[in-house]
């Protein structure tokens, strides 16, 4: 059975790592979860594409939506905690309002999206993903063609790709200063990419 555990680590971790609250969930397994603003609630993504919002105090389900058709692989919040982005096996990443769970934007690709992150300084989104490991042929893995893809937050349009990994990208994250990002791949490598000056001068033309 699926449940979401909440543990108090102040001032010390709990004995036996036992959570102080266990929130029972739907039949669909939780695959990713993040805190909402001020730690008042928890946003959880499920194997069936659902998103749930739970009260951190009572464990009550506050809202439930289903904008994805397949598993949610990753959830990351914006720097100011007003928005979050989901990455899904349905080949999309989606932007939502943290409090209302209103669906704001969709970023479409041709392959499963394993991870998505929001820039702390620009209206930019980075996505990482690729085919399932078992579907990747040995020829394609040699080329290092697995790409991190950059989209404009407002216009939902792709404006750049960075190649390098020899397998699907499993995780992406921006540095808090927005001057670099990291990607972790099925190939076992973590790549740290520093943006060149052109990136900071780039203006998106809609």
């Amino acid at each position: 059975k699926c449940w979401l555990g909440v543990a108090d680590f102040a001032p010390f971790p709990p004995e036996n790592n036992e959570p102080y609250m266990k929130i029972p969930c739907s039949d669909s397994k939780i695959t990713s979860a993040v805190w909402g603003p001020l730690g008042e609630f928890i946003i959880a993504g499920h194997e069936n594409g659902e998103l749930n919002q739970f009260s951190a105090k009572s464990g009550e389900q506050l809202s439930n939506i289903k904008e994805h058709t397949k598993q949610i692989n990753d959830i990351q919040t914006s720097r100011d905690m007003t928005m979050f982005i989901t990455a899904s096996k349905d080949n999309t990443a989606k932007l939502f309002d943290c409090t209302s769970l209103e669906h704001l934007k969709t970023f479409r690709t041709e392959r499963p999206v394993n991870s998505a992150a929001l820039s702390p300084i620009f209206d930019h989104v980075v996505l990482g993903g690729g085919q399932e490991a078992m579907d990747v042929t040995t020829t394609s893995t040699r080329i290092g063609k697995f790409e991190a893809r950059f989209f404009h937050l407002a216009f939902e349009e792709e404006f750049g790709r960075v190649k390098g990994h020899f397998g699907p990208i499993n995780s992406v994250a921006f540095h808090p200063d927005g001057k670099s990002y990291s990607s972790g791949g099925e190939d076992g490598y973590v790549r740290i990419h520093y943006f060149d000056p052109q990136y900071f001068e780039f203006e998106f033309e809609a």
Side-chain angles (χ1 to χ4, degrees), residues 4 14 17 26 45 59 71 78 82 97 105-106 114 140-141 152 156 162 165 175 178 182 191 195 198:
L4 184 72
N17 292 323
S26 66
Q71 176 174 308
S78 60
T82 60
D97 181 277
K105 301 286 179 182
T106 298
N114 295 333
S140 68
T141 58
H152 193 280
E156 303 170 295
V162 178
H165 282 285
H175 189 282
S182 300
R191 298 172 65 88
F195 296 117
Q198 288 91 332

Side-chain angles (χ1 to χ4, degrees), residues 86-104:
T86 54
S88 172
K89 275 189 176 179
D90 68 8
N91 300 359
T92 70
K94 292 178 184 281
L95 185 74
F96 297 88
D97 181 277
C98 262
T99 306
S100 67
L101 294 197
E102 179 189 357
H103 173 221
L104 304 171

Side-chain angles (χ1 to χ4, degrees), residues 59-151:
E60 176 192 1
Q61 182 177 299
L62 304 174
S63 52
N64 167 271
I65 61 165
K66 192 171 187 293
E67 292 287 344
H68 284 290
T69 57
K70 293 184 181 177
Q71 176 174 308
I72 294 171
N73 292 321
D74 186 31
I75 303 175
Q76 295 192 37
T77 55
S78 60
R79 186 180 200 170
D80 63 4
M81 301 289 284
T82 60
M83 300 179 294
F84 67 92
I85 191 164
T86 54
S88 172
K89 275 189 176 179
D90 68 8
N91 300 359
T92 70
K94 292 178 184 281
L95 185 74
F96 297 88
D97 181 277
C98 262
T99 306
S100 67
L101 294 197
E102 179 189 357
H103 173 221
L104 304 171
K105 301 286 179 182
T106 298
F107 310 96
R108 302 179 192 284
T109 73
E110 310 78 43
R111 292 178 176 176
V113 185
N114 295 333
S115 186
L118 298 163
S119 168
I121 59 171
F122 293 131
D123 286 339
H124 295 172
V125 176
V126 63
L127 310 183
Q131 298 150 293
E132 299 281 351
M134 59 185 152
D135 299 330
V136 178
T137 63
T138 49
T139 44
S140 68
T141 58
R142 279 198 215 102
I143 309 165
K145 69 168 193 163
F146 289 88
E147 301 157 325
R149 301 172 66 162
F150 286 80
F151 285 76

